[in-house]
Amino acid sequence: MTDKTAVVIGASGGIGRAMADMLDQEDEYDHVIRFSRGSNSPIPLDLTSEGSIVSAANWLNEQPLKPSMIFVATGLLHNQQKGPEKSVKQLDADWLQENYQINAVGPALIAKHFLPLMPKDEIIKFAAISARVGSISDNRLGGWYGYRAAKAALNMIIRNLSIEWKRQNKRSIIVALHPGTVDTGLSRPFQGNVPPGKLFDAERAALQLLDVLDGLKPVDSGKIFAWDNEEIKP
């Protein structure tokens, strides 16, 4: 028994649930801990509440386990009232702030409270779901102001974390991951233009991301990778 532990944040969502299930099925991790806002979480974790993140981290710290992998599977693209903006006329301060809170601030606070719980003397992996549309250099269509900007902010946070944490653990791997278009509630209203074969079910998406993570080395820390292992430029 290696007694290795993986933690999935947002384990009630499509990709998060599939990732946790996949990790449960594989032999690499002996324990898979699932955090979410729901009742299946050992303690509720809400990305909009730093207090709940602190409580979840404290709960984990009280267990005889040190996570060597943390996967943040949360994200916001639309809700019942709002969706991605098509033009500057649709910008709304509250919606912009909500995008930043879920897509950038929340994962940053997860890192703040969970990274210190990871081992300092072995390879660790911290990954957060980002998106290709968060790449400034790849933006040729415009639109989707809040989502694009929040994911770009997340990518910068990941880069910062990788630099800082290298001083704590030279074997740390901290990355952002683009899963492609996955058949979940987040992408469902926008699947009409997805090319054939490029709409992935959650299980396939999780397996592809795990394959990417398995192949990464500490030199890759701070980068953004797509589901097919392509590095995405910021």
Side-chain angles (χ1 to χ4, degrees):
M1 288 286 288
T2 60
D3 210 33
K4 290 182 67 176
T5 298
V7 170
V8 179
I9 311 289
S12 62
I15 295 177
R17 183 184 300 111
M19 178 62 74
D21 289 346
M22 201 70 64
L23 289 167
D24 264 332
Q25 294 167 21
E26 294 197 343
D27 295 331
E28 184 174 357
Y29 295 96
D30 304 292
H31 311 279
V32 179
I33 300 174
R34 306 171 185 232
F35 285 108
S36 68
R37 292 178 296 178
S39 58
N40 291 331
S41 181
I43 183 169
L45 191 158
D46 184 344
L47 281 194
T48 65
S49 166
E50 185 170 6
S52 81
I53 295 171
V54 170
S55 295
N58 287 342
W59 178 90
L60 182 59
N61 194 39
E62 291 168 357
Q63 312 307 309
L65 308 167
K66 281 190 175 294
S68 53
M69 204 266 268
I70 294 176
F71 186 85
V72 185
T74 53
L76 172 71
L77 178 57
H78 62 90
N79 60 24
Q80 292 182 342
Q81 291 78 38
K82 295 262 185 198
E85 310 90 343
K86 294 182 179 179
S87 81
V88 70
K89 296 178 182 179
Q90 296 177 324
L91 288 180
D92 174 82
D94 290 340
W95 181 236
L96 285 171
Q97 289 173 0
E98 191 170 352
N99 266 275
Y100 271 86
Q101 182 65 51
I102 299 299
N103 293 316
V105 177
L109 294 177
I110 293 293
K112 173 184 176 182
H113 296 290
F114 278 74
L115 265 175
L117 307 181
M118 304 184 81
K120 302 294 194 300
D121 55 355
E122 62 184 68
I123 287 180
I124 61 169
K125 296 177 182 180
F126 182 100
I129 292 291
S130 187
R132 186 181 295 275
V133 297
S135 166
I136 295 173
S137 61
D138 192 64
N139 183 2
R140 297 175 180 85
L141 296 176
W144 289 31
Y145 283 83
Y147 188 71
R148 284 185 185 274
K151 289 299 188 180
L154 172 62
N155 295 341
M156 179 59 81
I157 288 165
I158 289 292
R159 178 63 176 166
N160 268 10
L161 288 169
S162 72
I163 294 169
E164 178 180 351
W165 219 251
K166 193 69 71 178
R167 304 180 194 121
Q168 305 282 336
N169 181 347
K170 293 185 180 301
R171 303 173 75 191
S172 57
I173 302 170
I174 299 175
V175 293
L177 297 175
H178 167 58
T181 304
V182 184
D183 189 11
T184 64
L186 182 141
S187 72
R188 204 150 286 141
F190 314 100
Q191 294 176 2
N193 296 321
V194 179
K198 290 298 178 68
L199 178 63
F200 307 132
D201 61 48
E203 290 73 22
R204 178 178 172 184
L207 182 59
Q208 289 173 161
L209 294 180
L210 269 179
D211 285 343
V212 172
L213 282 169
D214 286 346
L216 296 182
K217 296 178 172 55
V219 70
D220 298 312
S221 194
K223 298 178 181 178
I224 313 156
F225 291 95
W227 58 273
D228 58 358
N229 209 38
E230 175 195 1
E231 182 182 346
I232 298 173
K233 298 302 180 183

